[in-house]
Amino acid sequence: MKKITWLFALTGSLLFGSCQKSSTLSETGIIPIPNELVNGTGTFDLSPDSGIKLVGQNEKLTHLGEYLANRLRPATGFDLPVSFDQGQIILELTDSSSDESYNLEISENEVKITASGEAGLFYGIQTFLQLFPVELASSSVQSVEWTIQTGSIKDSPEFGYRGAMLDVARHFISVEDVKYFIDQMASYKLNFLHLHLSDDQGWRIEIKSWPKLTEIGGSTEVGGGKGGFYTQEEYEDLVAYAAERFITIVPEIDMPGHTNAALASYGELNPGVNLPDGDFSTVNKKELDYQMPLKNPQASELYTGIEVGWSTFSSDLELTYAFVDSVVREISELTSGPYFHIGGDESHVTEKDDYIYFVERVQDIVSKYGKTSIGWDEIATAKLLPGSVAQFWAKEENAKLAKDQGNQILMSPATKMYLDMQYDSTSRIGLHWAAYIELDSAYLWEPTEFASGISKENILGLEAPLWTETVTNRADIDYLVFPRLAALSEVAWSSKEKRSWESFQKRVVSHGKRWDLTGVGFYKSPKVNW
Ligand code: TNX
């Protein structure tokens, strides 16, 4: 009797299991949703005999083949040899262009991913991986049928810059956690990781010519914890790790405001004026403990609170530019990507003229070291160099100023893209000065219609920042980032015509299962039937 019940349960679950399986390719939970998708009628099975065949010249091809094999091997337990001779999974690279598009053709006998550039092939691989049962994400062998639906996909991104930002200054984030974040970004086809490396509360990257920045400035964080910093070798390792996943690191040194950690490390950089009395906050942040620094013309005190807008470099001190020059030079030498982020936000105690003078001089320094400046939208009040990018977070009129100068805008509207905003008033961490951002709100907006006068051609791309005033560990990152990062990746990658909340709401369910399986502590938004 017992046996019969057991059998019953088993058959039931098998039946249920197979009902759960998507019956067509378009019903598989691909995020971001591809441009063009045609359903086939059959299935393709990955089997112990499957192999990966490489077609093309590029030396990165072997690397991509191995990457795919390594993603498929642990859960399937299959050998999946990678070769130029045979295999049913074909990776074909036709050129070495920077084009990010790919084609994916799945028939009953083979799968073929074709691209003219390595990044495109990598994105095709990401899509392919999402087609399998979620158990594929497991690190041990699973007894599952590795079946996917046939059909074809032609895909390319809407925006060339699809980014996320980690504020490693308010709370330091370890190399290991940044790598984890990079892996997550890669699976959603994001390609720029902006690291906010300095702020009032901490300086997080070693500068060999100014060592006290990390000795002193890196020694604490919000709440008074021990802080931390990346050595230059660790930073280079992150740049390389990201590059292998087609992600470009954008380093940010925030200035002239948000500079207390530097001012606490080197007294001689201090403006030498007393900070004004009063409340310097423009926004009413969550009531965390904070302490104002001593009003001291010498080195300022380290700061572990979360108020903003009260520190500044001195723009009429030549030493300031010597300092900035060293910092930009050292970091630029370690950075393979084209951008250097100069911050520029919330400099509420910098005179307007001083601010403009400072931004213009710093842009020149950045350009001298072969990089292009990005800055928060306020930098558009200065004269921008051709190519400089204004990152829109708050003020439409600043975005407009950038556009009128012929410069592009990186869209990070706080009300939609700030990953540190709470989902609702019950969220256990996060701020809410800009908005509460539930999953549907993060999804339902159109970047080319968001700020008046800013249309597609003015937009370089999108970036979702995670500020970390209230974020102290991986669980906190997971909770604020997922599932919103998946939603934002679709806004950045997929065309307006393809996006639909109803569809996303269904597709994200399998991602939730994958997150559960891999220990990503995501927010179980009530907007989704998980
Ligand atoms: C505003 S966005 C800031 C950050 C804070 C963030 C908190 C921006 C350019 N400045 O300094 O961390 O709000 O949400």
Side-chain angles (χ1 to χ4, degrees):
M1 179 61 186
K2 246 192 178 157
K3 221 175 189 173
I4 292 173
T5 327
W6 183 81
L7 254 179
F8 224 81
L10 181 71
T11 336
S13 80
L14 279 178
L15 273 176
F16 182 67
S18 57
C19 289
Q20 289 287 87
K21 271 192 195 141
S22 41
S23 50
T24 59
L25 186 61
S26 58
E27 281 163 17
T28 333
I30 308 171
I31 296 176
I33 194 160
N35 252 344
E36 278 182 56
L37 184 154
V38 179
N39 286 321
T41 50
T43 56
F44 170 87
D45 288 298
L46 195 70
S47 76
D49 305 326
S50 300
I52 297 172
K53 181 178 174 180
L54 308 175
V55 181
Q57 297 297 321
N58 193 300
E59 73 236 26
K60 285 245 174 93
L61 198 49
T62 312
H63 186 76
L64 283 162
E66 281 303 331
Y67 172 88
L68 174 58
N70 287 329
R71 294 287 303 272
L72 294 170
R73 281 171 188 148
T76 61
F78 303 157
D79 285 347
L80 293 153
V82 180
S83 74
F84 283 87
D85 311 321
Q86 54 180 336
Q88 300 77 6
I89 302 165
I90 302 157
L91 300 184
E92 184 179 15
L93 196 55
T94 60
D95 202 343
S96 56
S97 80
S98 57
D99 185 11
E100 295 182 298
S101 57
Y102 68 90
N103 287 352
L104 171 57
E105 303 275 346
I106 307 155
S107 68
E108 291 180 15
N109 308 318
E110 65 174 39
V111 172
K112 189 170 184 183
I113 309 176
T114 317
S116 68
E118 298 141 22
L121 204 54
F122 184 73
Y123 298 136
I125 290 173
Q126 298 306 328
T127 300
F128 177 52
L129 290 168
Q130 287 190 8
L131 305 180
F132 286 96
V134 296
E135 289 83 353
L136 186 72
S138 178
S139 54
S140 60
V141 177
Q142 306 292 305
S143 48
V144 169
E145 289 198 13
W146 304 107
T147 303
I148 63 174
Q149 309 302 315
T150 58
S152 64
I153 290 173
K154 252 185 190 321
D155 203 8
S156 60
E158 199 61 15
F159 292 102
Y161 187 120
R162 303 174 303 280
M165 186 203 85
L166 288 177
D167 167 11
V168 299
R170 269 52 178 274
H171 281 100
F172 182 61
I173 300 178
S174 68
V175 169
E176 191 195 349
D177 285 351
V178 176
K179 287 184 175 173
Y180 161 81
F181 191 79
I182 288 172
D183 285 333
Q184 300 290 347
M185 284 178 69
S187 63
Y188 292 102
K189 304 184 174 76
L190 298 175
N191 61 356
F192 281 89
L193 173 61
H194 166 185
L195 293 175
H196 183 76
L197 291 165
S198 71
D199 211 301
D200 290 320
Q201 299 87 345
W203 186 282
R204 308 297 179 206
I205 181 157
E206 178 189 19
I207 302 296
K208 301 228 193 244
S209 55
W210 293 74
K212 285 197 284 179
L213 288 169
T214 43
E215 270 165 44
I216 298 174
S219 67
T220 194
E221 60 185 7
V222 167
K226 70 174 173 42
F229 64 91
Y230 310 124
T231 62
Q232 294 206 345
E233 292 67 31
E234 285 171 330
Y235 176 79
E236 279 186 290
D237 178 42
L238 283 176
V239 169
Y241 188 88
E244 278 170 25
R245 287 149 186 81
F246 300 89
I247 292 173
T248 303
I249 300 277
V250 179
E252 176 186 355
I253 295 300
D254 200 352
M255 49 196 167
H258 291 267
T259 42
N260 187 68
L263 297 170
S265 307
Y266 288 97
E268 53 271 48
L269 290 175
N270 204 282
V273 290
N274 284 341
L275 291 164
D277 286 322
D279 178 14
F280 313 115
S281 58
T282 47
V283 283
N284 191 12
K285 303 283 168 60
K286 220 179 171 189
E287 290 104 26
L288 287 188
D289 286 347
Y290 73 90
Q291 38 185 91
M292 293 306 292
L294 289 183
K295 295 169 183 157
N296 181 343
Q298 300 306 308
S300 60
E301 295 288 305
L302 289 167
Y303 177 66
T304 60
I306 64 163
E307 292 301 313
V308 296
W310 47 270
S311 58
T312 186
F313 278 155
S314 180
S315 45
D316 50 15
L317 199 65
E318 273 313 299
L319 185 68
T320 300
Y321 303 101
F323 169 81
V324 172
D325 193 285
S326 309
V327 169
V328 173
R329 174 177 50 76
E330 289 197 29
I331 297 175
S332 296
E333 279 168 7
L334 310 169
T335 304
S336 51
Y339 298 115
F340 191 102
H341 200 301
I342 62 176
D345 57 318
E346 300 171 318
S347 270
H348 303 317
V349 295
T350 322
E351 291 296 329
K352 192 171 193 308
D353 290 349
D354 292 348
Y355 176 85
I356 289 171
Y357 176 76
F358 180 86
V359 167
E360 291 173 0
R361 274 194 73 172
V362 171
Q363 272 186 112
D364 286 340
I365 295 172
V366 167
S367 129
K368 175 171 125 194
Y369 291 111
K371 302 292 182 195
T372 298
S373 294
I374 306 185
W376 298 105
D377 60 43
E378 291 95 320
I379 68 159
T381 58
K383 180 154 177 27
L384 298 177
L385 286 180
S388 285
V389 176
Q391 185 166 9
F392 169 74
W393 65 285
K395 286 213 172 123
E396 281 192 25
E397 66 254 40
N398 288 338
K400 186 82 181 351
L401 284 175
K403 173 192 160 174
D404 292 345
Q405 297 191 55
N407 293 72
Q408 279 201 305
I409 292 134
L410 178 58
M411 294 293 288
S412 296
T415 53
K416 289 291 175 186
M417 297 200 78
Y418 269 29
L419 294 168
D420 64 316
M421 290 300 120
Q422 293 176 296
Y423 294 95
D424 64 26
S425 63
T426 68
S427 298
R428 68 173 178 82
I429 47 170
L431 306 175
H432 58 257
W433 63 265
Y436 290 115
I437 311 180
E438 242 306 343
L439 183 60
D440 53 346
S441 173
Y443 187 89
L444 287 164
W445 64 290
E446 171 47 41
T448 60
E449 287 159 18
F450 189 83
S452 72
I454 307 300
S455 50
K456 180 89 198 274
E457 67 272 19
N458 312 124
I459 300 177
L460 174 69
L462 274 64
E463 183 180 289
L466 179 68
W467 299 100
T468 60
E469 285 92 336
T470 67
V471 174
T472 59
N473 54 36
R474 169 116 38 120
D476 291 350
I477 296 176
D478 284 351
Y479 172 76
L480 289 174
V481 170
F482 302 101
R484 286 187 292 202
L485 194 67
L488 292 167
S489 79
E490 188 151 308
V491 182
W493 177 282
S494 311
S495 65
K496 188 179 156 192
E497 294 69 37
K498 278 285 152 192
R499 272 183 274 134
S500 132
W501 165 248
E502 278 65 38
S503 152
F504 177 82
Q505 208 180 16
K506 290 191 197 117
R507 281 178 288 120
V508 77
V509 173
S510 62
H511 294 252
K513 297 208 167 90
R514 213 174 282 128
W515 292 326
D516 270 338
L517 198 81
T518 51
V520 178
F522 69 104
Y523 164 67
K524 294 215 159 67
S525 165
K527 303 278 174 179
V528 172
N529 187 5
W530 303 102

